[in-house]
Amino acid sequence: MKLKINRMSKTIFRSFSQVMLQKNTITGLLFCLGIAINSLTLLFGALIAVLISIITAKLCRYNSALLKQGVYGFNAALVGTAVWFFLPVSLLSLLIIIFGAWLATAISHVMLIYSAKFPIFTAPFIISTWCILLILELLGIEPVIEQFTTHDIADFYTVFRGLGQVMFQSYWLSGVIFFAALLVSSTKLAIWAVIGS
């Protein structure tokens, strides 16, 4: 039982680390901490989505090695974060997370089979989110778009907010934790992430 829980937690954290193309359990754990420090709600949405992704991949007998590496879970994690970023917590938004996570996982699987020579990156997340937005439009539900303020100078806070936005986090400290998470996995990548931001 303890071994199964250990394997499951590794898969969950690797799913989060794969958002920034890493396969590192500690990186994923720190990404979760970075989300939690800004919004426990968004972390909870992402965790639900990753669990749905894992269940889907297991039930459909998708590639177990890719599942363990977090390849199926990271697009679902983004879907779970996005849904509760744009919608309030409700039964409907929970069902949308479940549907979106399943869809992102299924799309990932199809794309991994048919575009094996090309990395899929976050295409399943984008396609799933477009489908969700279309459903919301048909239901007459408008997502809440957070208004961001802009700054003329790219200061310390702005740079790390930019890093945090990869996972819908606008808190600069989340970005700092994401930077630390990347440092654990790759110093070079961490530096490039900051430069990019």
Side-chain angles (χ1 to χ4, degrees):
M1 181 68 172
K2 189 177 177 183
L3 186 63
K4 279 190 175 182
I5 291 170
N6 189 33
R7 279 188 202 148
M8 177 69 98
S9 63
K10 281 184 178 179
T11 301
I12 289 168
F13 293 135
R14 284 182 184 151
S15 294
F16 280 92
S17 74
Q18 287 283 4
V19 172
M20 292 199 201
L21 311 176
Q22 303 305 297
K23 189 183 73 175
N24 187 304
T25 308
I26 303 299
T27 298
L29 175 62
L30 288 171
F31 284 163
C32 288
L33 177 63
I35 297 169
I37 211 163
N38 185 49
S39 172
L40 286 172
T41 301
L42 295 186
L43 176 62
F44 191 54
L47 285 170
I48 291 169
V50 170
L51 289 172
I52 294 300
S53 177
I54 291 168
I55 291 165
T56 301
K58 281 189 174 286
L59 288 176
C60 296
R61 299 176 190 265
Y62 292 167
N63 186 309
S64 62
L66 293 177
L67 174 62
K68 288 174 190 170
Q69 291 170 23
V71 172
Y72 289 115
F74 79 94
N75 279 288
L78 288 170
V79 168
T81 309
V83 170
W84 277 346
F85 179 80
F86 291 115
L87 295 173
V89 176
S90 68
L91 179 58
L92 176 62
S93 62
L94 175 61
L95 292 173
I96 289 171
I97 285 176
I98 293 167
F99 167 74
W102 166 81
L103 185 59
T105 307
I107 292 169
S108 294
H109 181 66
V110 171
M111 290 184 82
L112 286 165
I113 291 171
Y114 292 105
S115 62
K117 293 181 182 177
F118 304 100
I120 63 170
F121 297 125
T122 57
F125 156 67
I126 293 166
I127 295 166
S128 301
T129 306
W130 283 347
C131 291
I132 288 167
L133 290 172
L134 180 62
I135 290 166
L136 293 177
E137 177 79 23
L138 294 172
L139 294 174
I141 299 169
E142 275 200 42
V144 178
I145 309 295
E146 184 181 339
Q147 297 300 315
F148 295 101
T149 56
T150 57
H151 302 277
D152 293 328
I153 300 169
D155 61 8
F156 172 87
Y157 299 103
T158 306
V159 169
F160 284 101
R161 275 191 206 109
L163 197 53
Q165 283 297 336
V166 173
M167 290 187 243
F168 298 93
Q169 309 306 305
S170 58
Y171 185 31
W172 66 270
L173 189 52
S174 294
V176 170
I177 294 169
F178 289 177
F179 174 71
L182 290 172
L183 271 177
V184 167
S185 186
S186 167
T187 306
K188 188 175 172 182
L189 180 69
I191 292 165
W192 277 111
V194 170
I195 291 168
S197 182

